[in-house]
Amino acid sequence: MAGIGGSNYWEDLRKQARQLETELDLKLVSFSKLCTSYSSSRDGRRGDTSDTTPLLNNSTQDRMFDTMSVEIEQLLAKLTLVNDKMAEYTNTPGTASLNAALMHTLQRHRDILQDYTQEFHKTKGNFLAIREREDLLGSVRKDIESYKSGSGVNNRRTEMFLKEHEHLRNIAMATKENMTSQRGFLKSIQSRVNTLANILYRFPTINNLIQRINLRKRRDSLILGTVIGVCTILLLLYAFH
């Protein structure tokens, strides 16, 4: 292969490499422009909140991005294969006298491949980062709009809840005041009954009457306490329903 056929083979590989490098260069320029226009269009739309502003078709840009990514990856794979074949050729017996020149040419093509690969991954990474950021911001904006549209309903519900809460609070306070008043009234009756009992204790008939009164008073107290307790429980159940 070191003869005429080998030389033609090497030149063939170099021609393929240069052609692929040219295609890659053009594709990467277009790819970079696509990513830049995607970023600019998103920034412009954030600055204009008018409903009449025409929106770019982001799904189309996303499809173009995916298509161009695949095409560039395929070109990089082909160029890598050509470089590998060139490296194999430099190890072919009979090329020792040309090895230094061949290795220099091969290294130059490898450097170009590495530069294109790095540029592609950098541009692709920037595009994906912008898209992810914009998707997140879009989700936040939707949440804000949803909150704003539902704030009127929420305010009305809150107002109704506060009114109901105030009503229940007034009922509870009235019940508390009534129970306090009843307690004071019962204490007053107890004091008077005890005083009367002390004065008339020496008269058995009157003492029996007083005992009956005390029993009736205890019964009335139990009944009143039961009624108040049941009312309180019903109010609490209504409040937490």
Side-chain angles (χ1 to χ4, degrees), residues 112-165:
I112 293 174
L113 172 61
Q114 183 178 3
D115 290 342
Y116 284 164
T117 301
Q118 291 177 351
E119 181 180 352
F120 168 67
H121 288 303
K122 180 180 179 181
T123 305
K124 182 178 180 180
N126 289 339
F127 181 91
L128 293 176
I130 292 172
R131 185 166 66 181
E132 182 179 0
R133 182 192 65 188
E134 292 299 331
D135 289 343
L136 178 60
L137 291 176
S139 176
V140 171
R141 284 194 292 269
K142 288 181 180 178
D143 291 341
I144 293 175
E145 291 299 326
S146 176
Y147 173 79
K148 287 182 178 179
S149 63
S151 60
V153 177
N154 291 333
N155 288 338
R156 288 193 295 272
R157 289 178 179 174
T158 301
E159 185 178 354
M160 291 176 61
F161 173 78
L162 290 176
K163 287 183 178 179
E164 187 68 21
H165 179 268

Side-chain angles (χ1 to χ4, degrees), residues 12-239:
D12 244 5
L13 292 176
R14 287 193 61 189
K15 182 178 179 181
Q16 293 178 37
R18 286 194 297 268
Q19 182 178 354
L20 289 170
E21 289 166 357
T22 300
E23 292 182 30
L24 274 168
D25 186 64
L26 294 174
K27 285 286 186 183
L28 287 171
V29 170
S30 299
F31 191 64
S32 178
K33 289 181 178 179
L34 172 66
C35 297
T36 303
S37 65
Y38 186 88
S39 175
S40 299
S41 65
R42 289 299 185 99
D43 292 339
R45 282 168 48 208
R46 279 203 306 271
D48 190 346
T49 57
S50 172
D51 293 337
T52 59
T53 302
L55 303 181
L56 295 179
N57 193 336
N58 294 320
S59 60
T60 301
Q61 286 184 308
D62 291 335
R63 286 196 297 271
M64 289 177 62
F65 170 80
D66 294 336
T67 300
M68 293 185 69
S69 295
V70 172
E71 291 175 351
I72 293 174
E73 288 172 350
Q74 290 175 347
L75 289 173
L76 288 173
K78 290 179 180 179
L79 184 57
T80 300
L81 181 61
V82 172
N83 281 353
D84 291 342
K85 290 181 178 179
M86 293 173 72
E88 291 177 2
Y89 178 78
T90 58
N91 295 323
T92 302
T95 61
S97 60
L98 302 173
N99 197 52
L102 297 179
M103 289 301 298
H104 177 75
T105 302
L106 174 61
Q107 186 58 44
R108 186 166 62 84
H109 286 294
R110 282 177 170 172
D111 291 341
I112 293 174
L113 172 61
Q114 183 178 3
D115 290 342
Y116 284 164
T117 301
Q118 291 177 351
E119 181 180 352
F120 168 67
H121 288 303
K122 180 180 179 181
T123 305
K124 182 178 180 180
N126 289 339
F127 181 91
L128 293 176
I130 292 172
R131 185 166 66 181
E132 182 179 0
R133 182 192 65 188
E134 292 299 331
D135 289 343
L136 178 60
L137 291 176
S139 176
V140 171
R141 284 194 292 269
K142 288 181 180 178
D143 291 341
I144 293 175
E145 291 299 326
S146 176
Y147 173 79
K148 287 182 178 179
S149 63
S151 60
V153 177
N154 291 333
N155 288 338
R156 288 193 295 272
R157 289 178 179 174
T158 301
E159 185 178 354
M160 291 176 61
F161 173 78
L162 290 176
K163 287 183 178 179
E164 187 68 21
H165 179 268
E166 184 65 21
H167 177 66
L168 293 176
R169 181 175 175 274
N170 291 336
I171 293 176
M173 291 296 296
T175 303
K176 180 181 178 181
E177 292 176 358
N178 184 54
M179 291 175 65
T180 302
S181 176
Q182 292 290 341
R183 190 181 297 113
F185 177 72
L186 290 175
K187 285 183 178 180
S188 176
I189 293 176
Q190 178 69 40
S191 176
R192 293 178 183 178
V193 170
N194 288 338
T195 301
L196 182 62
N198 289 332
I199 295 174
L200 303 177
Y201 185 72
R202 290 171 296 176
F203 300 93
T205 304
I206 296 177
N207 188 35
N208 291 334
L209 178 62
I210 291 174
Q211 288 180 356
R212 292 176 184 175
I213 292 173
N214 286 335
L215 289 174
R216 180 172 296 179
K217 182 198 65 170
R218 293 194 191 97
R219 184 187 64 186
D220 293 342
S221 297
L222 290 174
I223 294 173
L224 179 60
T226 302
V227 172
I228 292 174
V230 171
C231 291
T232 302
I233 292 173
L234 291 176
L235 284 173
L236 292 175
L237 290 176
Y238 178 75

